[in-house]
């Protein structure tokens, strides 16, 4: 029997919910509402009120080639970094699941990167991936001009993808390992008795059984790659070179706070929000179908 | 069909040894049941045969070939797990046919073999269902089907019935027995349930603490238990044990309050022995009957067909199983009578069976 807590009067229940509701309203709905309002008006940079402009902000943004370039960069970044972070984490978790000694240590050690603030992490990777010193300098010595994220847009994109993936590998690993360990050992053993080898067992038994986790992480990783990438971009590339890494979330900041185009930035954040919503709905509609919930 | 030869097999986990040198010969087509209390290493032994656990020492051979280093799939064994271990995301048909799919058997043949197995196990209507949508007994049968379809040389069962309710267990028990008669594949069945063990086994292996205590047919084990452990573990209610000491003229029991006249005692005077008698070998008679032990009734357990009478024999608990229509009241006095042929003697030190006594009916000490 499921245990349910019931309140004799509904007002008591509401009372318990109020603190949470206030938080959500103050920090989510209110700012979001403000953003919607700003996106439909023109803010004057030096103050002096808003002018209602309807969808003009959206029209001007969507007709801007720079903005489309930013969307493309964001989608590229999201796809590659999510794929990389999930794939590496899954491989590590599968290997760890097979040899369990010390897995507790891995759990702790691998969650740390997720605990590091994005800017701090970006700082570290800026040094690690610097073309003039460190590991990449050695590579550059062998192939001169191979690596320079300061000049080459692709290199810059690769840098932020590496930094972001590094952070999320740990996060994904924890979830994958937990999911793999939740699979009863006897299922794997039964498959082994049925003649299935290690790789085959992974595809036939383990993979289908962790699809709920894969799906969950896919949604989280994609969403976060649109949002949590800000600190990394800001520290490592500032959107450059030549806007190659000017991801949507960074462009909102640079247009709004550096370019002082509050209204345009507000409209961009509405578009980003819609994009994330649409992507999430898409994932639930088309990918979740293939998930085996137990 | 295959024979299994187990020689001096040890198993250690980290520093702890859990199986201490097991020797066992299982002949081709035999149904062997390994019986023992929880934690005695039965599953570990079975899993070493299956190849799911490394063998720390000794050898296991199937059909004469040592399999220590072989992968599970190379050993030709199929296993039925206690929790069934059905693949939750596959249908019943896919579960049963998985081993054939892995082996690359063409779809047409696979379907036909799945059908054949499903017919034997009466699963034909359920082939499209997921394990979630099956009852315990049905899951159990799917697990059996998954093992059967491979036509293995050896069937291994790890307490496959212990998750079923009592009625289903009895039913599945006879189905397993029938299946074995039909397939006559070598089977090793692990259980802690002695009724299951007695009814299924051609030969019974009683294990305790990682060692084999006795190997024999169920009736041999019941009638001539090789050790005190086997004597008290097999049979319900458990065999009564009375502590005794060898004296000049026989045995003194229960700290000297009773004497047992035995015709020959080759043990030194003063050595400690345990005398066992099964509850079902004791008759209740009127108190004071000549040659009977007097005791007082503690409790009567009604079983329907008979009852178990628990009595107090000079402070020692003693049970009597009777099918006669006697209903002694708690607190009343009864006499206990038994014949010397039903007595078992065990060394108190080693616990092993002693066949040195020829007992006569015990007489109350004066
Ligand atoms: N993976 C393991 N690591 C350490 N000890 C184990 C492991 N598996 C079983 N054991 C120990 O080995 C002994 C025998 O276990 P097992 O063979 O499962 O007993 P059972 O007779 O109940 O099937 C137990 O004491 C158990 O605690
Ligand atoms: Mg067990």
């Amino acid at each position: 029997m499921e245990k349910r807590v019931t309140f004799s009067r509904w007002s008591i229940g509401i009372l318990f919910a109020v603190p949470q509701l206030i938080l959500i309203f103050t920090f989510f709905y209110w700012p979001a509402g403000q953003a919607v309002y700003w996106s439909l008006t023109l803010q004057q940079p030096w103050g002096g009120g808003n002018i209602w402009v309807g969808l003009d902000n959206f029209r001007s943004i969507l007709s801007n080639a720079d903005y489309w370039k930013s969307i493309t960069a964001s989608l590229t970044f999201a796809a590659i970094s999510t794929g990389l972070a999930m794939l590496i984490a899954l491989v590590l978790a599968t290997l760890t699941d097979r040899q369990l000694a010390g897995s507790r240590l891995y759990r702790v050690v691998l969650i740390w990167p997720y605990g590091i603030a994005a800017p701090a992490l970006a700082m570290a990777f800026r040094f690690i991936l610097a073309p003039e010193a460190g590991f990449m300098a050695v590579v550059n010595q062998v192939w001169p001009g191979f690596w320079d994220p300061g000049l080459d847009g692709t290199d810059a994109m690769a840098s932020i993808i590496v930094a972001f993936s590094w952070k999320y590998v740990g996060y994904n690993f924890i979830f994958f390992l937990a999911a793999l360990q939740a699979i009863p050992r006897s299922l794997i053993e039964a498959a082994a008795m049925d003649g299935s080898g290690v790789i085959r067992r992974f595809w036939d038994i383990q993979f289908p059984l962790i699809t709920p986790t894969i799906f969950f992480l896919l949604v989280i990783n994609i969403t976060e790659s649109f949002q949590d990438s800000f600190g990394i971009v800001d520290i490592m590339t500032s959107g450059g070179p030549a806007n190659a890494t000017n991801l949507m979330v960074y462009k909102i900041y640079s247009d709004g706070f550096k370019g002082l185009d509050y209204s345009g930035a507000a409209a961009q954040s509405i578009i980003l929000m819609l994009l994330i919503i649409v992507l999430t709905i898409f994932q639930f509609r088309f990918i979740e179908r293939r998930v085996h919930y137990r | 069909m295959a024979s299994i030869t187990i020689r001096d097999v040890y198993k250690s986990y980290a520093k702890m040894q859990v199986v201490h040198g097991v020797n066992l010969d299982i002949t081709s087509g035999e149904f062997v049941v390994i019986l023992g209390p929880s934690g005695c290493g039965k599953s570990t032994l079975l899993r070493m045969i299956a190849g799911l656990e490394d063998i720390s020492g000794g050898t296991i051979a199937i059909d004469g070939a040592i399999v220590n280093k072989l992968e599970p799939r190379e050993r030709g064994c199929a296993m039925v797990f206690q929790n069934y271990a059905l693949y939750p995301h596959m249908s019943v048909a896919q579960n049963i046919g998985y081993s054939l799919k892995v082996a690359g058997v063409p779809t047409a043949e696979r379907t036909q073999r799945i059908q054949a197995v499903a017919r034997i196990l009466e699963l034909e209507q359920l082939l499209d269902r997921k394990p979630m949508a099956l009852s315990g007994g049905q899951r159990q049968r799917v697990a059996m089907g998954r093992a059967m379809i491979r036509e293995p040389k050896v069937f291994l069962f790890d307490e496959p019935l212990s998750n079923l309710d009592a009625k289903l267990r009895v039913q599945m028990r006879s189905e397993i027995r029938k299946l074995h008669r039909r397939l006559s594949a070598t089977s090793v069945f692990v259980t802690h349930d002695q009724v299951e063990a007695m009814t299924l086994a051609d030969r019974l292996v009683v294990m305790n603490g990682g060692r084999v205590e006795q190997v024999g047919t169920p009736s041999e084990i019941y009638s001539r238990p090789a050790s005190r452990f086997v004597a008290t573990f097999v049979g319900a209610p458990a065999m009564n044990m009375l502590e005794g000491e060898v004296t000049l003229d026989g045995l003194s029991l229960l700290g000297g309050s009773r004497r047992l006249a035995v015709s020959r005692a080759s043990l030194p005077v003063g050595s400690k022995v345990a005398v066992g008698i099964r509850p079902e070998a004791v008759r209740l008679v009127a108190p004071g009957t000549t040659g009977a032990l007097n005791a007082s009734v503690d409790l009567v357990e009604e079983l329907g067909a008979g009852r178990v009478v628990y009595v107090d024999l000079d402070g020692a608990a003693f049970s009597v199983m009777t099918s006669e229509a006697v209903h002694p009241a708690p607190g009343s006095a009864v006499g206990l009578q038994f014949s010397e042929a039903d007595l078992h003697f065990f060394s108190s030190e080693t616990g092993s069976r002693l066949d040195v006594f020829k007992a006569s009916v015990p007489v109350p000490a004066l």
Side-chain angles (χ1 to χ4, degrees), chain A residues 184-198 200-201 204-206 208-209 292 294, chain B residues 47 50 52 72-73 77-79 81 83 85-90 95 98-99 101-102 146 150 156:
Chain A
R185 206 95 219 127
S186 59
L187 283 189
I188 313 290
E189 290 173 348
M193 295 297 295
D194 272 346
S196 194
V198 174
R200 180 99 201 223
R201 287 204 295 267
D204 287 350
I205 313 293
Q206 289 169 306
L209 292 178
H292 301 280
R294 264 180 283 175
Chain B
R47 293 162 57 80
L52 296 174
R73 60 181 148 163
C77 303
M79 184 153 163
F81 293 80
N83 60 3
L86 301 180
Y87 313 125
H89 55 296
M90 297 187 194
N95 262 282
Y98 182 65
S99 59
K101 191 173 170 195
V102 171
R146 194 170 61 179
R150 296 174 45 204
L156 305 172

Side-chain angles (χ1 to χ4, degrees), chain A residues 54-117:
Chain A
L55 293 175
D56 275 2
N57 287 326
F58 290 95
R59 277 191 209 104
S60 87
I61 286 164
L62 291 173
S63 61
N64 185 341
D66 264 0
Y67 192 63
W68 285 102
K69 202 178 156 193
S70 172
I71 293 181
T72 315
S74 285
L75 290 174
T76 312
F77 175 80
I80 300 180
S81 56
T82 297
L84 215 58
M86 287 185 61
L87 189 70
I88 294 173
L90 183 56
V91 169
L92 288 177
T94 310
L95 295 178
T96 308
D97 180 52
R98 280 177 57 72
Q99 323 245 307
L100 224 49
S103 78
R104 266 196 140 133
L105 182 71
Y106 296 142
R107 278 188 213 206
V108 174
V109 170
L110 281 162
I111 196 74
W112 283 344
Y114 185 66
I116 297 175

